[in-house]
Amino acid sequence: MQHQLLAIMPELMLIATAVVILLVDPLLPVDGRRGLSWLGIAASLTAAYATWISRGEEFTAFSHGIALDKYSVFFKILLLVVAAMAMLLSEKHLFLKRHLLGDYYGLVLFTTVGMMIMVEAIDLITFFVGLELMALTVYLLAGFFRYQERSIEAALKYFLGGAFASNFMLFGMAILYGLSGSTNYQEISDAVRLGPAPAGPLAIAVVLILAGFAFKVSAVPFHNWAPDVYQGSPTPAAAFLSVGPKIAGFAAILKFFTLILGSQSGTWVPMMIALSLATMLVGATMALLQKDLKRMLAYSSIGHVGYLLLAVVATGHTGRNLGMAAILFYLAAYAFMNMGAFGVLVFMANRRPGFRDTLDDMAGLARRYPWAAAIMSLFMLSLTGVPPTAGFLAKFYLFSAVVDSGFAWLAVIGALFSLVSAFFYLRVIIYMYMREPETELVESGAGLEAGKSWDLDLGLAIAAGGVILLGILPAPVVNAAQDAVVKLLGN
Amino acid sequence: MYEFQSQIGFPILTLLTFLPAVGGLAILFMRGKPRLYKSLTLAVTGVNFLLSLVLIAYFDRYSAEMQFVEKAPWISSLGISYHMAVDGISVLLIMLTALLSLIIVPASWNYIKDREMQFFAAFLFLETGMIGVFCARDLFLFYVFWEIMLIPMYFIIGVWGGPRRIYAAIKFFLFTFAGSLLMLIAIVAIAYLARANQYATPVFDMDLLEKATFSYSVQIFAFLAFFIAFAVKVPMWPLHTWLPDAHVEAPTAGSVILAGVMLKVGGYGMLRLCIPLFPDAVVAIAPYILVLSLIAIVYGALVSLVQKDLKKLVAYSSVSHMGFVTAGIFALNVIGIEGGIMVMFSHGLLTGALFLMVGFMYERLHTREIADMGGLAGPFPVMAGFLLFFTLASLGLPGLSGFVGEFLSLMGLFTYNKAMAAVASIGIILAAAYLLWMFQRVMFTGLRDDKWYKFPDFSLREMASLLPLGFLAIWAGVYPNTFLQLIQPSATRITEKIAPYLADHGGAIERLFASLGGLF
């Protein structure tokens, strides 16, 4: 038996670093604060390494509060990589916008800790602590540009909706506790499966929890916050919060619905199907109408949540292993391609002070910045699901799970929305490669120099590399995803 | 881990497939003058063409087995492997692809003046996708190459195309992608249905899939999904509407590859996947496909007759010619299938040449309107000679390649159904009409503009890109055995797969409706 604190070593490292950042920040001169991002990145990567070396061990800690297994290792490493990438994307942007608070990196680290706890929790209370830690810090990140009305508006919208969602979820958990007399996932699962749990309250609990999760991952009809929040937030923060909370949310959804409520799949599978169809529909059609790329990416991420929910449907049926592994892989692919797409927007905003994130501003990008246009195309094609990119393999894997579980018609509908989505992703490529800018954007030489940053370039290179590697040599990640879910289902 | 059948001593298929992509990547990272990229592209495509000749030379033409097999695990836990192999049909089409890819380099040498680097890189990636499709023996790998073809072509039309290029590019992409997605779901479905049990890994290997049997209704649905994907590419009436737009807007080199190779990929897919995997369904649905093919033959020819734009005329004539391909293939006998393949080969040569000529004419006259031309034979005698040759070959003059394919295809169709063969032959008559009438209006009648006498006739570079195509057209017309030998074992093997199902042909259509009725 390990020491309990060793179990949460990576989390402790992040918290310690975050506290150091917050304490040191006021003492440093303004320009000196930039190095704090590297402290945060180093902490994330060290924590990822610590998680990696503990991958062989499986145990629970804090009186069955958290479980360390391959499932949580997979997600924790993914989340830590996402956090590190988010910090790489942020540093220059914050500097240029003169928001030089090191707090930002502290918040990213705290969010990450919250998400890691959500992923490894096997107890309702622990889970909720993680959820709230993530949620509260993410609201702050959304409102980080506190002199911009839009950023504040984003934070407020996110906060108000998020608070409701958390409470719905808490209420659902309370009902589960009432029905089973326990907050432990396994015990609730046993009680729900074996005990004569009354159908009515159980269904209410399922609905409430599902509604809470739907908000957290921005599924229709609880998606309305996403476009406004993504648009208003600082772009690098939007990159982070369009990916991190979704990963953690789906990690928890899988635990809730396959582990706790696996025996109740008759109740939630129809709800999940409806939710998924509505989400795909709204995501694909609304994205068609957007001129603002951050809003477009928001609807696109709603569409991707729709696909992920399809795979959750599959886990409710025969294709449990496959469906779960597909979700894990999809989230990994999504992390790289979505952060990359936002990263290119950060890149543009850094180079062109007047950049407004619109399609028109992307016109003729391929001439001025051929590499930025090339990797943006890569991300767009990956989001569409065209080989040889990560997005294709993710979609392929996911459709496999859906078809295998007997829902071929759902896969066909998913493919249809995929076709619709091709239209708006390709439109970005059209603007970049096939149109010329209507007004030549003024780029002063000094501004151009100032906008250069090799850490942003590194972040984009990592995202692009991830998209290509997961598309061409996905076997290690596929195997890791498959290993990760076996134990979870064995419980 | 990695193994290859040592027919030559090195993994030639991998080399053929990925050499262009490596060249393309190198170009993207290169700095220097456009001449440098062009020379590199020429070198890479040239080497690739030589490799394709080596492939044919070492290919055992008396065997129906898949040859030059290469196998390596790729995503083992999902049953996906890197499995490449070729038969006679693939070898022939690979040679055609490599040849056309080589020819378009000198043809675009001066034509493309903007972002040459990306243009030539896109072509090299395109070549990788096309050759990969013809080599893949794993369904997943096939799909990957299938889609890889799509992206460079989308850029080639959209960036270097004509005035309505964006519309054409997106229409091309969405049509093809819609078909691909249907195919993807069908691929997944049959891969999981072909498993031995619920816990086994899915089966993507075509060798194994050909041995699996699927229930009748699965066959029907999977067949339709695959078929629609391929029919968009061919393109079959009524899925052809992207083709005229794409051709008219695409730069010359794009049109050549589009018509010369990418349409063939559709026919190849039908032969490689639709028929061997779903023989039962094929027999039931073939009559309907033949009807569509006949419509395509006649409709394409009639529409060609009224075209005012030279390039559009050639584009619609493709719809008509490709109708002979599907008609031959779905006559489901050896002669018909051989005919279909020969039409594909010949159409690749001839339409490729015609598109090149339209491009060369456009570079001089800056118009493609037939009405604006006239009397070109005077100022451009060499051009007139070449155009006459390719026009005659295209309308099926005996002794040239167009005749062989269409004749065999009609023979196959005749064996299947005499009335259908009669209807299809109308297409040949109409082809003579629209092609000769076009030639007359373009080359003879009164000279429109005296200043054309100041323009140069075909240069050596231009003739050099047309001559190999003409040479092969004569070879295939005079001594088609060279090519028929290559494809005969494979064609026979395909018909052997369907033979058991042809016997109960009478009940097939009733079963089709019964199985569809069972769904509701």
Side-chain angles (χ1 to χ4, degrees):
Chain A
M1 182 66 199
Q2 302 273 346
H3 192 276
Q4 305 249 344
L5 285 180
L6 257 151
I8 53 164
M9 199 60 199
E11 287 86 342
L12 290 178
M13 285 159 67
L14 293 192
I15 291 172
T17 316
V19 171
V20 169
I21 288 176
L22 293 182
L23 289 177
V24 169
D25 181 54
L27 307 175
L28 289 173
V30 171
D31 279 354
R33 292 173 187 170
R34 301 177 63 179
L36 292 176
S37 76
W38 285 101
L39 195 56
I41 292 164
S44 309
L45 294 182
T46 321
Y49 179 69
T51 313
W52 172 248
I53 53 175
S54 72
R55 68 191 182 280
E57 300 163 25
E58 291 186 1
F59 57 97
T60 62
F62 299 102
S63 37
H64 298 286
I66 60 168
L68 287 164
D69 47 23
K70 286 188 170 143
Y71 184 79
S72 56
V73 166
F74 183 93
F75 276 108
K76 280 158 76 175
I77 291 180
L78 181 59
L79 287 167
L80 288 163
V81 170
V82 165
M85 275 168 60
M87 288 185 269
L88 279 177
L89 300 185
S90 307
E91 192 273 325
K92 188 73 184 186
H93 193 70
L94 298 179
F95 177 75
L96 288 171
K97 300 277 178 186
R98 313 307 295 170
H99 283 273
L100 280 167
L101 294 172
D103 306 19
Y104 183 90
Y105 308 108
L107 290 174
V108 170
L109 292 180
F110 280 127
T111 313
T112 312
V113 173
M115 296 190 295
M116 287 161 75
I117 294 173
M118 280 171 76
V119 165
E120 63 201 355
I122 48 166
D123 182 280
L124 292 179
I125 305 293
T126 316
F127 167 75
F128 194 74
V129 169
L131 179 74
E132 284 303 281
L133 180 56
M134 173 197 83
L136 290 171
T137 45
V138 151
Y139 306 146
L140 289 173
L141 283 174
F144 198 73
F145 283 176
R146 61 189 191 284
Y147 304 118
Q148 289 182 7
E149 280 177 18
R150 271 191 171 171
S151 185
I152 299 171
E153 183 197 325
L156 188 66
K157 272 192 179 149
Y158 202 4
F159 169 69
L160 289 177
F164 270 106
S166 294
N167 284 324
F168 278 139
M169 211 186 274
L170 198 56
F171 193 43
M173 290 178 193
I175 296 176
L176 277 187
Y177 175 67
L179 290 173
S180 63
S182 169
T183 56
N184 180 276
Y185 287 5
Q186 192 59 52
E187 284 167 24
I188 302 173
S189 169
D190 292 343
V192 168
R193 192 173 68 245
L194 306 171
L202 195 58
I204 293 173
V206 171
V207 169
L208 287 171
I209 291 174
L210 193 55
F213 274 124
F215 180 90
K216 296 292 174 197
V217 300
S218 71
V220 174
F222 306 100
H223 65 288
N224 271 321
W225 59 273
D228 291 340
V229 170
Y230 289 10
Q231 191 185 16
S233 311
T235 312
F240 184 53
L241 61 87
S242 72
V243 172
K246 284 195 173 60
I247 294 174
F250 271 99
I253 285 179
L254 282 182
K255 274 195 175 175
F256 262 81
F257 287 93
T258 58
L259 191 64
I260 304 184
L261 298 168
S263 56
Q264 304 297 311
S265 61
T267 314
W268 58 261
V269 161
M271 293 185 210
M272 212 60 101
I273 291 177
L275 211 59
S276 161
L277 289 177
T279 308
M280 287 192 293
L281 176 70
V282 170
T285 48
M286 291 300 288
L288 286 174
L289 308 175
Q290 305 305 318
K291 286 273 172 196
D292 184 295
L293 282 177
K294 277 159 89 178
R295 290 186 78 85
M296 189 277 268
L297 284 174
Y299 282 110
S300 117
S301 75
I302 292 172
H304 284 282
V305 167
Y307 293 126
L308 285 160
L309 289 172
L310 268 191
V312 178
V313 170
T315 64
H317 268 254
T318 45
R320 283 178 72 177
N321 261 334
L322 196 59
M324 292 184 75
I327 290 177
L328 265 57
F329 188 87
Y330 201 104
L331 287 168
Y334 173 79
F336 286 104
M337 60 200 186
N338 216 49
M339 293 210 72
F342 274 104
V344 175
L345 295 183
V346 177
F347 177 91
M348 291 310 298
N350 288 358
R351 297 292 167 105
R352 292 179 171 169
F355 186 71
R356 289 163 300 155
D357 303 318
T358 58
L359 273 173
D360 286 330
D361 283 9
M362 299 294 274
L365 190 69
R367 276 182 204 283
R368 188 66 194 78
Y369 299 107
W371 280 108
I375 67 166
M376 187 65 164
S377 307
L378 178 72
F379 298 136
M380 290 297 127
L381 291 172
S382 181
L383 287 165
T384 317
V386 177
T389 60
F392 163 66
L393 206 92
K395 212 165 257 182
F396 163 80
Y397 203 178
L398 191 136
F399 283 157
S400 304
V402 177
V403 169
D404 188 41
S405 65
F407 286 106
W409 62 276
L410 276 178
V412 172
I413 295 177
L416 183 76
F417 286 120
S418 199
L419 181 65
V420 176
S421 75
F423 189 80
F424 56 80
Y425 291 129
L426 287 185
R427 194 161 54 186
V428 179
I429 299 180
I430 288 176
Y431 270 85
M432 291 189 302
Y433 279 88
M434 305 172 196
R435 296 220 174 166
E436 301 302 326
E438 283 167 13
T439 52
E440 201 56 48
L441 278 159
V442 188
E443 291 170 44
S444 64
L448 208 60
E449 274 310 304
K452 282 187 181 158
S453 65
W454 63 271
D455 40 4
L456 172 58
D457 295 350
L458 178 65
L460 288 175
I462 292 171
V467 166
I468 293 173
L469 265 185
L470 285 184
I472 294 177
L473 296 170
V477 181
V478 168
N479 292 340
Q482 286 181 343
D483 284 350
V485 301
V486 170
K487 187 65 202 299
L488 190 69
L489 291 167
N491 274 350
Chain B
M1 284 286 276
Y2 181 76
E3 53 186 73
F4 66 91
Q5 186 191 328
S6 181
Q7 207 155 342
I8 294 190
F10 60 99
I12 187 167
L13 297 182
T14 302
L15 205 60
L16 261 169
T17 307
F18 291 103
L19 183 68
V22 172
L25 274 181
I27 286 182
L28 284 183
F29 284 96
M30 255 160 71
R31 297 276 175 277
K33 292 207 174 84
R35 213 186 151 74
L36 201 61
Y37 321 133
K38 290 176 191 170
S39 312
L40 182 70
T41 315
L42 193 63
V44 168
T45 49
V47 169
N48 233 33
F49 176 60
L50 290 180
L51 276 176
S52 77
L53 293 182
V54 171
L55 185 72
I56 289 199
Y58 278 83
F59 182 81
D60 175 6
R61 55 185 59 210
Y62 300 106
S63 161
E65 294 302 307
M66 301 304 290
Q67 302 180 29
F68 303 97
V69 182
E70 295 172 29
K71 259 188 195 172
W74 186 11
I75 315 173
S76 333
S77 54
L78 295 180
I80 296 166
S81 61
Y82 176 81
H83 183 181
M84 309 272 266
V86 287
D87 66 356
I89 306 172
S90 328
V91 166
L92 186 63
L93 291 172
I94 288 172
M95 195 267 280
L96 178 69
T97 308
L99 175 64
L100 288 174
S101 304
L102 173 63
I103 279 174
I104 55 153
V105 181
S108 324
W109 201 267
N110 297 330
Y111 181 66
I112 300 296
K113 296 195 173 65
D114 178 36
R115 296 188 243 180
E116 293 102 331
M117 175 174 98
Q118 284 104 323
F119 181 82
F120 288 102
F123 261 106
L124 288 173
F125 289 124
L126 185 60
E127 193 182 352
T128 288
M130 294 185 300
I131 294 185
V133 163
F134 294 131
C135 294
R137 274 306 277 174
D138 182 282
L139 215 42
F140 182 87
L141 191 63
F142 176 85
Y143 187 83
V144 168
F145 283 125
W146 173 269
E147 292 281 81
I148 285 178
M149 286 191 313
L150 184 57
I151 307 301
M153 197 37 127
Y154 167 73
F155 277 98
I156 287 165
I157 298 174
V159 177
W160 294 277
R164 290 172 71 238
R165 59 184 196 274
I166 295 179
Y167 170 78
I170 201 141
K171 193 170 177 184
F172 164 74
F173 189 97
L174 290 182
F175 263 73
T176 317
F177 196 53
S180 308
L181 284 170
L182 277 179
M183 179 164 77
L184 177 63
I185 300 214
I187 287 176
V188 167
I190 62 167
Y192 278 85
L193 286 169
R195 287 179 301 183
N197 62 57
Q198 207 195 327
Y199 303 100
T201 50
V203 182
F204 286 96
D205 196 301
M206 288 186 210
D207 289 344
L208 301 174
L209 279 173
E210 281 181 14
K211 291 185 191 110
T213 45
F214 303 102
S215 76
Y216 189 63
S217 49
V218 167
Q219 284 204 24
I220 293 284
F221 279 103
F223 174 81
L224 286 177
F226 277 92
F227 178 74
I228 290 172
F230 298 140
V232 170
K233 269 268 177 5
V234 166
M236 283 188 81
W237 185 89
L239 301 170
H240 67 283
T241 59
W242 61 269
L243 180 89
D245 288 309
H247 270 310
V248 170
E249 301 306 325
T252 303
S255 293
V256 172
I257 292 294
L258 199 56
V261 184
M262 291 181 80
L263 306 192
K264 275 71 211 175
V265 176
Y268 174 80
M270 291 174 184
L271 284 169
R272 174 67 70 238
L273 294 172
C274 282
I275 298 181
L277 294 186
F278 319 112
D280 208 354
V282 169
V283 173
I285 301 180
Y288 302 96
I289 297 173
L290 287 176
V291 170
L292 290 180
S293 310
L294 294 183
I295 296 177
I297 291 174
V298 177
Y299 168 88
L302 286 176
V303 177
S304 301
L305 211 47
V306 297
Q307 289 310 312
K308 298 190 173 71
D309 183 312
L310 199 52
K311 214 171 178 187
K312 242 181 179 160
L313 186 145
V314 182
Y316 274 110
S317 81
S318 295
V319 176
S320 180
H321 283 131
M322 292 306 285
F324 281 102
V325 174
T326 45
I329 291 175
F330 286 96
L332 302 180
N333 48 46
V334 179
I335 295 184
I337 290 176
E338 284 182 14
I341 300 166
M342 279 309 283
V343 176
M344 289 206 276
F345 181 63
S346 142
H347 179 263
L349 300 173
L350 303 176
T351 310
L354 286 174
F355 275 120
L356 278 177
M357 293 214 54
V358 174
F360 295 155
M361 288 158 86
Y362 184 80
E363 283 174 45
R364 290 177 169 73
L365 313 175
H366 297 286
T367 179
R368 288 194 297 256
E369 291 289 306
I370 296 175
D372 293 346
M373 300 176 186
L376 293 183
F380 308 114
V382 180
M383 181 199 281
F386 273 104
L387 187 65
L388 182 66
F389 175 82
F390 287 115
T391 306
L392 290 178
S394 186
L395 63 81
L397 189 76
L400 296 173
S401 64
F403 171 74
V404 178
E406 283 175 15
F407 180 74
L408 290 175
S409 173
L410 276 178
M411 252 169 75
L413 195 57
F414 190 81
T415 324
Y416 185 87
N417 185 317
K418 296 184 178 58
M420 282 183 169
V423 175
S425 57
I426 298 174
I428 298 187
I429 300 167
L430 288 173
Y434 65 77
L435 284 167
L436 289 177
W437 191 34
M438 177 275 288
F439 185 79
Q440 181 198 354
R441 283 179 294 165
V442 169
M443 287 298 165
F444 303 140
T445 63
L447 184 67
R448 290 274 157 170
D449 200 335
D450 281 334
K451 76 164 189 276
W452 290 345
Y453 271 103
K454 291 177 198 142
F455 295 158
D457 203 349
F458 273 5
S459 65
L460 267 178
R461 176 178 62 83
E462 287 166 324
M463 283 193 265
S465 45
L466 290 171
L467 278 174
L469 299 174
F471 172 70
L472 276 177
I474 296 173
W475 187 344
V478 174
Y479 194 69
N481 252 5
T482 322
F483 305 96
L484 289 175
Q485 267 183 0
L486 210 54
I487 55 182
Q488 191 160 28
S490 312
T492 315
R493 184 160 157 261
I494 290 170
T495 47
E496 278 163 7
K497 294 246 189 261
I498 343 169
Y501 300 94
L502 279 171
D504 61 357
H505 180 55
I509 292 159
E510 287 74 16
R511 277 172 66 206
L512 169 64
F513 284 110
S515 79
L516 292 178
L519 284 166
F520 299 104

